[in-house]
Amino acid sequence: MKIHLSLVAIILSLMASTTLSAQGNDDVIRTLSQSIRSHKSMEVSFTYQTIGDTNPSEEAKEGQAFFQDKAYKFILADQHIISDGKTQWNYIIEDEEVMVGNVTDDDDLFKVLDELERDSSGLTPIIDGKGRLKGLEMELDEGEKLVLNIIEMKFDRDYQEDFFTFDTEAYPDVDVIDMR
């Protein structure tokens, strides 16, 4: 299953808070959003799994996400999604192709955070006994849900600008489809 960037970006981005204890969903989302905005950058290692009638036994996969300002990079099992804030590259590993396009409002992390602060229905935080966010569940179509669990988070690291671009020289056999 290919996961839309906005979905992954928001769920991972919402994991940046440390203590959430007895807050309601809307308060949790607001707290998380404020925490994300307060950091220069963020790196998250995580596992993700889709659970539901059509995929009852899908195994959890590992991934990584990196954020700095409006730039982001997702390393998932079947694809890499990279953006410098203006251009987005979606590398589908199995197809050996990368689609290049302009970033839209749907892909803008801060705009999606604003929307989630207004309506967080469908998101369920997974909080441990110490009140820390350990993951999130998000309702998807047709009764499925996406479950993300945090392995590790790092904040305020410096990344080179080219870290948030797709290096075609590193993938010489990949077909580049420019949709701009």
Side-chain angles (χ1 to χ4, degrees):
M1 171 184 185
K2 304 284 188 258
I3 301 170
H4 188 272
L5 170 66
S6 300
L7 192 66
V8 175
I10 295 315
I11 291 173
L12 294 174
S13 299
L14 294 175
M15 298 180 177
S17 184
T18 54
T19 304
L20 301 167
S21 52
Q23 299 179 11
N25 260 14
D26 290 340
D27 291 334
V28 168
I29 301 305
R30 204 170 359 273
T31 299
L32 293 169
S33 177
Q34 291 167 358
S35 178
I36 292 161
R37 295 171 198 267
S38 71
H39 291 285
K40 174 176 75 172
S41 67
M42 179 172 66
E43 177 182 335
V44 183
S45 297
F46 59 93
T47 62
Y48 63 100
Q49 179 178 22
T50 304
I51 300 172
D53 294 335
T54 58
N55 289 324
S57 62
E58 180 181 301
E59 291 186 29
K61 298 173 186 169
E62 291 188 12
Q64 288 183 288
F66 305 85
F67 304 93
Q68 181 171 286
D69 299 319
K70 289 190 173 200
Y72 50 81
K73 183 176 197 173
F74 294 97
I75 307 297
L76 304 173
D78 56 355
Q79 69 185 46
H80 299 179
I81 305 165
I82 307 164
S83 175
D84 60 6
K86 297 175 186 164
T87 303
Q88 178 180 303
W89 296 266
N90 189 352
Y91 171 43
I92 309 297
I93 297 169
E94 184 177 328
D95 296 341
E96 292 187 348
E97 68 181 25
V98 61
M99 291 182 280
V100 184
N102 293 320
V103 172
T104 66
D105 285 350
D106 289 341
D107 305 316
D108 185 316
L109 176 63
F110 295 110
K111 288 184 181 184
V112 179
L113 284 173
D114 290 341
E115 289 176 23
L116 272 179
E117 283 186 48
R118 288 189 292 276
D119 180 15
S120 63
S121 60
L123 287 177
T124 304
I126 302 169
I127 300 173
D128 70 9
K130 296 180 181 178
R132 291 181 301 218
L133 184 68
K134 299 309 287 181
L136 283 170
E137 291 183 5
M138 181 171 199
E139 295 174 19
L140 302 174
D141 295 332
E142 302 174 19
E144 292 186 330
K145 65 181 174 179
L146 178 65
V147 179
L148 286 116
N149 292 297
I150 301 168
I151 297 171
E152 180 179 28
M153 292 187 297
K154 299 174 184 173
F155 299 98
D156 300 321
R157 294 182 164 221
D158 291 318
Y159 298 102
Q160 298 293 330
E161 265 188 53
D162 64 350
F163 181 77
F164 295 101
T165 61
F166 184 81
D167 181 6
T168 54
E169 291 179 16
Y171 301 90
D173 297 328
V174 169
D175 291 326
V176 177
I177 303 167
D178 197 328
M179 301 172 64
R180 292 177 283 187

